[in-house]
């Protein structure tokens, strides 16, 4: 607790509303982008027309959207004089939400990827060749930036007879929601790329379900008032309602907001869409560098299929040709971005040298001591930004800059800022090779963009580093399945090349949406939960070559999608994933004790395995594969920031390498009934006992997981089928984790508008300077409050933004924190509807955060500052 001494000479004022139960104003962390003066008003189920009318009639309120399908409420814009507390005070109102901004789940791609190998790895080619599935008769709605429907690979038509595009609308216009266009023509390219992944039919791009009937609901403009091509909750939810009314079988969303709770408006709407029979597929997000608890909303909505990304296996790209006396002519892959100002093109041979700087480093962050004038400087990634490296090389007279990565795998697309020196990036493997050669001989290179070569991807098939991690705040996995999302070649705007390579879970989600269409075509009667179950059970866990185990289910879900096995599935497993959010610490009993050991942290779960083949019985057996354990914490309690760019930090993983480790550092699974016979059309029960990795230090806060691998064989058949159930848990007591960043981070602290620490808060307030309490959320929390306590220890009100239900994690990748304002105003109720002006006096500021799984009625479950 911190002492705040302030004299605020203002009168005491109460603002009262109707005596009926008031709604609660929800607020996001101050680092979360929201639309100004825009809100979603959510009503209780028993709200009536009078309640709606009262909100609509409030002065300064304009209704933007009214919802009656997947969300009970309305979206409103308000004048500056309207506070959300005013709206929450009306009867029937459940919550008032800020209108959160959505961004596309895309990252810059590294290469122009080919598709043949990709479609083989996912089982699509086998599905098409043997089963003849193409998505015919299935309606897929895409909520995105629109589509260039005149692209020849996408039909070249709009709502004409025989055209794949029979549904859709523009909800946003190019620059203003007040002026939507007659059709959802794309101006960004994202929706066109996504559409190609689903249904393109051309020589360069072949979509997963080329005969599906399509709808496009445009929710991203070319630009908006926030300075970018953004959407928001109000428009995304409206698009979901229209997709429902149009009878879409599948809805694909490659968008989202990070680190949310399942109660967020877009997640609730998506879950309601699923409950009404629509299969919803959504991108899990691209915040993997920020560690765990980064899965997107709406992907975390109940029943939604949340999709992570794996890298493509091969690609076409421009290359650098290096001439070496000892090694001959070498082809080195370069990162190519056709819109980059730093285009790395050298048609005539030019010398290549390693640039060692005055500090003895080869990272190019200081002036070079190597003569690089008139040459290409080879430097290693790290310690400073790409822009800084380019500026230093340019100042030293270099003709070009070649940066090689500091980690294995294909490099990300860098940004060299406003520097004009030609620059690009190559892999760690290629960089080490060139550096070794340059140390003993003279190298020259040439480089163009019109010569392409096919390369195998070093990290092909691996989980993409940017792919977001679960768990959800309540320890559900957060990711259901993975699909190709790294370096995907697809359709693009006709006026910008017609084709492009893009990366992101944005590319993985539509791949799964297309796969869902094929499964629905094969089995039209399947319900959303059954499709989700089948996809999860027939996926293939992804091996992590760095550890020798499988990638954690918290990032990859069940693993890589296998469309053929899903379409041919004859068994279901319920539940499809196991969230171990209630482990017990203590001994097992009976036979299980002899098998599993003494005091350990453990959980038991029972699976229902149904044989959907009504003519043949099924034999099942089970084994277990451990996955990586991951954490996002340093030993001092701070959060690891693995943001790509200037550091080589990664999310801590156990094991650290492929060397053998003690068995008790990995989870274990025991079962007494996993080998059994299940008759035709019948259901069997399998109970498993899962023990946490007791050999790992609980203070390090590891999240562990693995896969239950089932082998099924039907009577009279020699071939077997594989099914999988992923599980994940926390190695410790989840309810004991502190949710606030430790004091070593310098937060909480009082700061001004510029983020500078305010040493004398009383003086700042007396001078009427804007002052805030800033704090950093290491973990999400069901409830965070910032309140004033007077000198006698009595509650004196919540600060503005001081009562936050379902608070989200603060992401280190965004270098931000959460704030509550000290401005003389406080609220006397948790709904923030009873406003008061703070009386002059001395006060403490108290910050309280409820630990996860904590009881809000128990003070001991709160972390207090």
């Amino acid at each position: 607790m911190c002492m705040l001494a302030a004299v605020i000479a203002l009168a005491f004022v109460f603002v009262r509303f109707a005596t009926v139960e008031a709604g609660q104003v929800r607020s996001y962390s101050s680092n979360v982008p929201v639309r100004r003066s825009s809100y979603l008003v959510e009503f209780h189920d028993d709200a009536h027309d009078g309640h709606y009318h009262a909100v609509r009639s409030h002065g300064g309120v304009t209704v933007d959207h009214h919802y009656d399908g997947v969300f009970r409420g309305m979206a409103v814009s308000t004048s500056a004089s309207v506070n959300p507390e005013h709206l929450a005070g009306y009867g029937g109102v459940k919550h008032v939400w800020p209108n959160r901004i959505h961004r596309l789940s895309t990252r810059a791609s590294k290469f122009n990827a080919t598709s043949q190998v990709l479609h083989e790895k996912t089982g699509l080619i086998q599905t098409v060749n043997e089963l003849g599935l193409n998505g015919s008769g299935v309606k897929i709605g895409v909520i995105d930036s629109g589509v260039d429907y005149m692209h020849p690979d996408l039909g070249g038509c709009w709502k004409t007879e025989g055209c794949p595009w029979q549904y859709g609308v523009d909800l946003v216009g190019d620059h203003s929601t007040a002026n939507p266009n007659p059709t959802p023509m794309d101006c960004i390219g994202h929706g066109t790329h996504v559409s190609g992944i689903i249904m393109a039919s051309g020589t360069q791009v072949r979509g997963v379900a080329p005969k599906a009937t399509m709808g496009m609901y445009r929710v991203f403009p070319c630009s908006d008032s926030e300075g970018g091509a953004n959407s928001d909750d109000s428009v995304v939810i409206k698009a979901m309602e229209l997709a429902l009314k149009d009878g879409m079988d599948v809805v694909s969303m490659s968008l989202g907001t990070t680190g949310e709770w399942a109660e967020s408006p877009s997640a609730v709407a998506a879950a309601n869409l699923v409950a009404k029979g629509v299969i919803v597929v959504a991108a899990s997000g691209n915040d993997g560098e920020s560690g765990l608890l980064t899965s997107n909303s709406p992907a975390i909505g109940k029943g939604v299929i949340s999709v992570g990304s794996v890298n493509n296996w091969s690609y076409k790209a421009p290359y650098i040709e290096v001439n070496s006396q000892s090694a001959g002519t070498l082809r080195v892959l370069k990162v190519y971005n056709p819109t980059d100002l730093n285009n790395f093109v050298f048609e005539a041979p030019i010398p290549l040298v390693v640039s060692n700087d005055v500090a003895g480093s080869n990272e190019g962050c200081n002036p070079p001591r190597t003569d690089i004038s008139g040459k290409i400087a080879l430097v290693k990634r790290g310690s400073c930004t790409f822009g800084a490296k380019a500026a230093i090389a340019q100042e030293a007279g270099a003709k070009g800059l070649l940066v090689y990565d500091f980690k294995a795998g294909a490099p990300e697309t860098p940004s060299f800022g406003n520097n004009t020196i030609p620059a690009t990036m190559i892999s760690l493997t290629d960089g080490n090779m060139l550096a070794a050669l340059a140390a003993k001989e003279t190298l020259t290179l040439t480089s163009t963009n019109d010569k392409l070569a096919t390369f195998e991807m070093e990290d092909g098939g691996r989980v993409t580093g940017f792919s977001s991690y679960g768990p959800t705040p309540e320890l559900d996995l957060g990711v259901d399945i993975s699909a190709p999302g790294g370096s995907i070649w697809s359709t693009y705007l006709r006026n910008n090349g017609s084709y492009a390579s893009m990366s992101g879970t944005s590319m993985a989600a539509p791949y799964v949406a297309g796969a869902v269409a094929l499964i629905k075509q094969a089995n039209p009667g399947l319900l959303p939960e059954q499709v989700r179950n089948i996809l999860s059970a027939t996926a293939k866990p992804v091996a992590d070559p760095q550890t020798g185990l499988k990638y954690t289910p918290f990032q990859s879900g069940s693993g890589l999608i296998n469309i053929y096995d899903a379409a041919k599935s004859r068994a279901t497993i319920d539940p499809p994933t196991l969230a171990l959010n209630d482990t017990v610490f203590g001994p097992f009993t009976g036979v299980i004790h002899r098998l599993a050991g003494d005091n350990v942290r453990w959980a038991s779960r029972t699976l229902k395995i149904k044989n959907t083949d009504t003519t043949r019985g099924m034999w099942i057996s089970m084994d277990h594969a451990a996955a990586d354990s991951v954490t996002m914490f340093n030993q001092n309690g701070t959060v690891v920031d693995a943001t790509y760019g200037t550091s080589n930090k990664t999310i801590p993983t156990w094991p650290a390498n492929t060397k053998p480790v003690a068995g008790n550092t990995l989870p274990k699974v025991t079962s007494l009934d996993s080998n059994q016979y299940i008759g035709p059309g019948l259901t069997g029960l399998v109970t498993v006992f899962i023990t946490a990795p007791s050999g790992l230090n609980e203070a390090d806060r590891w999240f562990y997981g693995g896969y239950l691998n089932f082998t099924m064989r039907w009577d009279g058949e020699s071939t077997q089928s594989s099914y999988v159930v992923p599980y994940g848990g926390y190695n410790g007591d989840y309810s004991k984790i502190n949710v606030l960043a430790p004091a070593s981070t310098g937060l909480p602290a009082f700061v001004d508008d510029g983020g500078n620490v305010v040493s004398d808060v009383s003086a700042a307030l007396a001078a009427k300077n804007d002052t805030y309490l800033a704090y950093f959320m290491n973990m999400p929390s069901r409830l965070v409050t910032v309140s004033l306590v007077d000198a006698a220890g009595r509650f004196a009100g919540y600060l503005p933004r001081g009562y936050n239900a379902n608070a989200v994690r603060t992401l280190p990748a965004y270098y931000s924190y959460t704030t509550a304002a000290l401005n003389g105003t406080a609220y006397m109720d948790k709904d923030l509807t009873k406003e008061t002006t703070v009386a002059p006096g001395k006060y403490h500021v108290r910050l309280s955060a409820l630990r996860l799984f904590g009881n809000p009625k128990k003070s001991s479950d709160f972390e207090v500052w």
Side-chain angles (χ1 to χ4, degrees):
M1 188 183 297
C2 180
M3 171 66 76
L4 167 65
V7 177
I8 308 173
L10 296 172
F12 185 82
V13 179
F14 259 114
V15 179
R16 296 188 183 275
F17 291 96
T19 58
V20 298
E21 180 183 356
Q24 186 182 89
V25 177
R26 294 297 181 97
S27 62
Y28 293 115
S29 303
S30 53
N31 61 295
V32 173
V34 298
R35 298 284 189 202
R36 292 187 294 271
S37 301
S38 181
Y39 304 94
L40 278 83
V41 182
E42 183 180 6
F43 287 87
H44 288 286
D45 290 341
D46 59 356
H48 53 69
D49 288 343
H51 296 140
Y52 282 80
H53 178 74
V55 174
R56 287 196 300 267
S57 302
H58 189 96
V61 169
T62 300
V63 177
D64 299 319
H65 300 289
H66 185 276
Y67 309 113
D68 58 9
V70 299
F71 187 78
R72 189 167 179 79
M74 62 180 70
V76 302
S77 299
T78 67
S79 64
S81 63
V82 177
N83 290 326
E85 295 84 5
H86 300 161
L87 306 181
Y90 287 109
V93 174
K94 182 178 181 181
H95 296 125
V96 176
W97 298 86
N99 189 11
R100 187 166 182 177
I101 289 174
H102 285 256
R103 296 195 168 100
L104 297 165
S105 299
T106 312
R107 294 284 285 269
S109 185
K110 294 166 273 198
F111 314 111
N112 298 339
T114 58
S115 61
Q116 185 72 10
V117 175
L118 179 156
H119 290 328
E120 289 176 354
K121 297 288 187 180
T122 60
L124 176 61
I125 290 178
Q126 188 177 12
T127 303
V128 173
N129 291 344
E130 295 185 21
L131 305 180
L133 300 176
N134 54 21
S136 177
V138 181
K139 295 197 289 188
I140 305 176
V142 182
I143 299 176
D144 213 291
S145 68
V147 59
D148 187 348
Y149 47 80
M150 295 307 296
H151 194 297
D153 290 4
L154 302 179
C157 56
W158 180 253
K159 292 188 177 181
T160 56
E161 185 177 353
C163 180
W165 298 99
Q166 292 296 324
Y167 302 91
V169 66
D170 181 4
L171 292 171
V172 291
D174 290 347
H175 306 288
S176 169
T177 55
N179 296 293
N181 297 319
T183 64
M185 178 58 76
D186 191 5
C187 60
I188 298 174
H190 186 276
T192 300
H193 196 276
V194 162
S195 298
I197 293 169
I198 295 174
M199 51 73 66
S201 182
T203 57
Q204 289 208 43
V205 179
R206 200 277 188 194
V208 179
K211 294 298 183 180
T213 301
M214 300 297 298
M216 173 57 73
Y217 305 88
R218 185 186 180 206
V219 298
F220 288 91
C222 307
S223 62
D224 64 5
S225 59
E226 306 295 330
N230 301 310
S231 188
D232 57 51
D233 277 341
S234 71
V235 180
V236 170
I237 294 172
K238 186 63 178 180
M240 290 190 220
E241 294 220 324
L242 293 174
L244 176 65
K245 291 178 180 179
D246 286 342
M248 294 296 115
D249 300 301
V250 186
V251 166
S252 178
M253 290 187 281
S254 293
L255 49 81
T257 57
T258 303
E260 279 288 2
W261 293 74
E263 291 87 347
S264 68
S266 64
V268 168
N272 288 337
L273 194 56
V274 172
K276 292 179 181 292
V278 181
I279 302 166
V280 180
V281 181
S284 69
N286 297 335
D287 284 299
E289 291 96 351
S290 290
L292 289 96
L293 296 142
T294 53
S295 292
N296 271 6
S297 174
I300 61 171
K302 183 179 179 181
V304 176
I305 301 173
S306 175
V307 186
S309 168
V310 300
N311 289 321
N312 209 335
W313 289 263
S314 64
Y315 48 83
K316 281 185 178 179
Y319 58 87
I320 300 167
E321 197 166 81
V322 179
N323 295 303
S324 162
Q325 293 177 348
S326 62
T329 300
L330 306 169
R331 285 183 175 180
V332 174
L333 173 74
K334 69 174 181 177
V335 173
Y336 170 57
N337 181 354
T339 63
D340 202 332
L341 296 174
N342 313 90
N343 240 333
F344 195 84
V345 175
F346 296 93
E347 295 185 357
I350 186 170
L352 170 69
V353 297
V354 175
S355 178
N356 294 305
D357 64 29
V358 294
S361 168
N362 66 345
E363 293 179 331
C365 297
N366 296 288
R369 57 182 174 84
T370 305
D371 179 13
I372 62 173
S373 179
K375 304 170 185 175
I376 304 297
L378 177 66
V379 301
K380 191 173 185 178
R381 179 181 177 182
S383 298
C384 62
T385 65
F386 295 114
K389 295 175 190 291
I392 291 169
Q394 186 168 314
E395 179 68 22
K399 291 295 185 182
L401 178 67
L402 197 59
V403 182
Y404 64 100
D405 210 346
F406 50 35
K407 58 184 178 182
E412 300 285 345
T413 301
S415 173
F416 293 99
N418 295 322
N419 301 289
T420 57
I421 183 174
T424 190
M425 195 167 175
I426 62 176
S427 70
L428 174 63
T429 299
D430 288 339
N432 284 337
M433 174 189 67
L434 295 182
L437 289 172
K440 58 185 180 182
E441 62 178 284
T442 300
L443 302 179
T444 61
L445 66 76
T446 58
S447 175
T448 65
N449 291 332
D450 56 357
K451 294 181 180 179
L452 305 179
T454 300
F455 296 83
E456 288 189 5
M457 221 164 186
E458 290 185 33
D459 51 2
R462 301 183 194 177
V463 174
T464 316
F466 59 67
S467 195
S468 285
Y469 289 83
T472 67
E474 295 184 311
L475 262 184
D476 290 324
L477 292 186
V479 183
D480 292 307
I481 198 168
S482 295
S487 296
I488 305 301
W489 185 243
S490 186
T491 48
Y492 203 63
L493 302 178
R494 287 169 297 135
N495 63 3
N496 197 8
S498 293
Y499 302 94
S501 182
M502 298 176 72
S503 292
T505 54
S506 272
M507 286 59 253
Y511 200 96
V512 172
V516 167
L518 303 189
I519 296 168
K520 282 287 287 183
Q521 181 187 5
N523 304 280
L526 290 178
L527 299 175
E529 184 57 33
Q530 292 173 310
V531 173
R532 182 170 175 256
N533 184 311
I534 290 170
L535 280 175
S536 179
T538 55
K540 311 305 175 191
V542 182
D544 182 356
Q546 303 298 318
T547 66
L549 303 181
K550 304 296 183 183
Y551 280 100
T552 172
F554 287 119
Q555 192 181 26
S556 63
S558 293
L560 177 65
I561 187 172
N562 189 291
I563 303 172
Y564 181 80
D565 285 357
K568 294 279 287 183
S569 175
R570 288 184 286 169
T572 61
I573 306 177
D574 187 47
T577 62
L578 299 179
L580 309 181
N581 50 13
D582 57 353
T583 53
V584 176
F585 186 80
F588 286 98
T589 58
V591 175
I592 292 297
H593 174 261
R594 294 198 297 273
L595 294 174
D598 292 313
N599 286 346
V600 290
R601 194 171 292 280
W602 61 278
S604 66
R605 295 289 188 273
T606 297
L607 299 165
K608 296 179 180 179
I609 302 180
K610 182 175 182 179
N611 178 8
T612 58
D613 189 323
T614 57
T615 61
R616 297 173 184 260
M618 177 179 73
W619 295 91
I620 71 168
S621 61
M622 187 198 80
D623 62 22
H624 168 246
D628 299 338
S629 291
V630 291
T631 183
M632 61 183 183
F633 293 98
N634 296 306
Q635 290 186 344
N636 64 359
T638 59
V639 173
V640 172
D641 177 10
T643 307
Y644 71 99
T646 60
S647 72
N648 192 19
K649 293 179 181 177
T650 58
I651 302 303
T653 301
W654 180 264
N657 50 50
T658 57
K659 294 180 180 179
V661 297
N664 66 352
T665 64
L666 303 176
K668 298 178 181 178
V669 175
T670 305
S671 177
L672 300 179
D673 49 17
S674 59
N675 293 281
Q676 59 177 278
Y677 179 80
I678 302 175
L682 299 181
T683 299
L685 301 179
V686 174
T687 298
V688 294
F689 297 85
I690 302 173
T691 59
S694 58
L696 294 181
N697 188 348
E698 289 193 359
D700 292 334
R701 287 164 282 194
W702 293 100
F703 290 77
Y704 65 93
Y707 298 88
L708 310 179
N709 299 311
F710 289 90
T711 299
M712 319 295 204
R713 182 179 60 80
W714 279 263
D715 286 339
E717 299 179 7
S718 59
T719 58
Q720 299 176 333
S721 298
S722 62
Y723 290 74
V724 66
V725 176
Y727 67 87
Y730 174 68
N731 188 40
D733 188 340
Y734 200 52
S735 66
K736 298 295 190 242
I737 303 178
N738 281 339
V739 297
L740 298 173
S744 60
T745 62
L747 295 174
F750 294 102
V751 299
D752 60 20
D753 269 336
N756 304 301
V757 174
V758 176
S759 56
D760 191 335
V761 180
S762 297
L765 293 177
K768 297 185 178 180
N769 294 331
D770 291 335
T771 306
Y772 307 86
L773 177 69
Y775 57 97
F776 191 99
M777 298 285 295
N778 269 359
M779 299 288 286
S781 172
R782 274 286 180 198
L783 178 61
V784 177
T785 64
V786 186
S787 58
L788 291 177
V789 180
D790 67 18
R794 294 171 299 200
F795 172 75
Y798 298 109
L799 295 181
R801 302 179 66 91
Y803 193 96
N804 300 304
N806 298 345
V808 301
R809 226 195 106 203
T810 313
L811 299 187
Y814 295 97
Y815 305 105
S816 56
Y817 43 74
T818 300
T819 60
L822 286 85
N823 58 11
T825 299
Y827 296 91
M828 302 308 294
D829 65 326
K830 66 182 180 64
D831 297 323
L832 302 183
T833 60
K834 298 178 180 179
E835 181 179 326
T836 181
T837 298
V838 180
K842 294 183 178 181
Y843 298 89
H844 298 283
V845 173
R846 176 184 290 149
L847 169 64
S848 300
L850 183 66
R851 295 181 180 90
L852 289 160
F853 294 170
N855 183 345
K857 296 182 179 181
K858 291 179 61 177
S859 60
S860 60
D861 285 351
F862 283 85
E863 182 182 358
V864 179
W865 177 84

